[in-house]
Amino acid sequence: MIESGLGQEEERARTAVQEAQSGNAVALIGSGDAGVYAMASPALEFAATDIEVDGVPGITAAVAASNLLGRTARP
Amino acid sequence: MAVATASDHVGAAGGHPTIVISDVDAYLAGPAVYYRPPSLIVGVGSARGVSAREVGMLIDEALAAESLHSMSVRCVATVDLKADEEGILAAARERGWEVVTYPADVLSGVEVPNPSEVVWAEVGTPASPRRPRCMRQVVRAERRAGRREAQVGQRHGRHRKAAAQGQARDRRAGAGARDLVTPRAITALQRASVIVGLDQYVDQIRDLLRPAPG
């Protein structure tokens, strides 16, 4: 388990890539969707072709919130 | 669908279904979902023995005076000498806010519009190491009564941005809801031998992880 604070996003992505390069199965976690202003970009940037990067889609807050719209629009 | 933020949301959406991201307590005429980012910090100072009711009223008035929504309050800040001031603690607890304390010399480096001799807490700026780094020196509201005061400040920009994406560590519903985690994500977590993440997110999924080998 490798945890770090806000503002260390690039470092986290680098750490995840390094762990994967040394043979570990790594989960780099975030909230919402990894592709929406999140960790996918730095991770893909640092990853070379020697490791496989799988994106797992997530439900980002804007999508969750938009599904409340119909409900609030009805009287 | 439109997405509006604090600076432009009122009246801007023209009746379309809208997601409003704002700490301003104002409402559109049309259908809208309001997301209240945890963008505000309430600085509270008081004499000893203040009641929770007095502190609570003062905070409510300070927020109301500038039409700020209480759901956007991230925490109450005060001086560390007040860490056991029951009136402040109870007022914060009733509203579901945590209390954050700072040493007096940190707080005294923060400028306020109307400096007071009374113990006070206020937001700071990352520009000076003497000020709390997470805060910004923008005072949105201020209220005084007797020997009590409440000031509402705004958090630093980067945190506001994070909040707008539902990344805030707090109890509000949003994309942090456990039942919005997909089965695929849970499988991926359980297959991993190393987990890398922001501390507050790791906390949210710790119970989903398989036990460490051995």
Side-chain angles (χ1 to χ4, degrees):
Chain A
M1 195 86 75
I2 302 169
E3 303 173 42
S4 52
L6 265 182
Q8 296 166 282
E9 283 70 27
E10 288 204 354
E11 188 195 319
R12 266 203 300 286
R14 271 204 188 87
T15 305
V17 168
Q18 282 162 7
E19 288 290 330
Q21 282 165 342
S22 49
N24 291 309
V26 180
L28 174 60
I29 66 165
S31 70
D33 184 88
V36 181
Y37 190 71
M39 296 301 289
S41 312
L44 289 167
E45 192 181 321
F46 300 137
T49 50
D50 55 340
I51 61 167
E52 193 181 322
V53 180
D54 274 340
V56 178
I59 298 168
T60 192
V63 171
S66 71
N67 283 276
L68 293 174
L69 278 171
R71 198 160 75 194
T72 52
R74 289 191 195 102
Chain B
M1 187 179 79
V3 177
T5 54
S7 54
D8 62 7
H9 81 272
V10 178
H16 298 296
T18 304
I19 297 173
V20 178
I21 302 167
S22 175
D23 52 21
V24 177
D25 193 10
Y27 296 87
L28 296 176
V33 170
Y34 297 86
Y35 178 74
R36 302 297 179 192
S39 55
L40 305 173
I41 292 175
V42 181
V44 176
S46 77
R48 276 275 169 219
V50 70
S51 76
R53 192 173 157 274
E54 289 170 316
V55 173
M57 276 177 57
L58 203 62
I59 293 174
D60 294 343
E61 284 170 15
L63 291 169
E66 297 300 325
S67 300
L68 297 172
H69 202 291
S70 62
M71 282 179 75
S72 277
V73 174
R74 174 69 183 81
C75 63
V76 169
T78 191
V79 70
D80 53 8
L81 292 172
K82 295 280 166 194
D84 61 349
E85 187 66 49
E86 189 46 41
I88 294 177
L89 297 178
R93 196 163 52 230
E94 283 164 12
R95 289 161 178 77
W97 302 331
E98 72 174 310
V99 176
V100 179
T101 59
Y102 293 97
D105 64 336
V106 173
L107 297 176
S108 64
V110 179
E111 289 169 29
V112 293
N114 304 295
S116 156
E117 293 304 309
V118 184
V119 178
W120 53 268
E122 193 38 64
V123 293
T125 167
S128 159
R130 299 188 66 205
R131 294 171 187 160
R133 264 183 65 246
C134 68
M135 304 183 211
R136 186 171 120 185
Q137 188 195 327
V138 177
V139 175
R140 300 273 296 268
E142 189 172 32
R143 217 60 174 180
R144 287 212 178 124
R147 298 176 67 199
R148 310 177 291 280
E149 59 188 329
Q151 286 148 343
V152 183
Q154 191 157 11
R155 301 175 76 204
H156 183 256
R158 196 180 65 200
H159 292 247
R160 282 173 63 78
K161 207 160 163 190
Q165 294 174 64
Q167 294 182 353
R169 169 179 56 104
D170 62 21
R171 68 247 159 248
R172 265 157 255 163
R178 169 52 59 86
D179 57 358
L180 288 180
V181 176
T182 64
R184 191 185 292 184
I186 293 172
T187 305
L189 279 173
Q190 291 175 343
R191 275 192 189 142
S193 55
V194 176
I195 305 286
V196 182
L198 183 65
D199 42 15
Q200 62 207 44
Y201 300 158
V202 173
D203 284 344
Q204 289 177 19
I205 52 94
R206 209 179 289 278
D207 61 303
L208 293 173
L209 305 176
R210 60 179 183 180

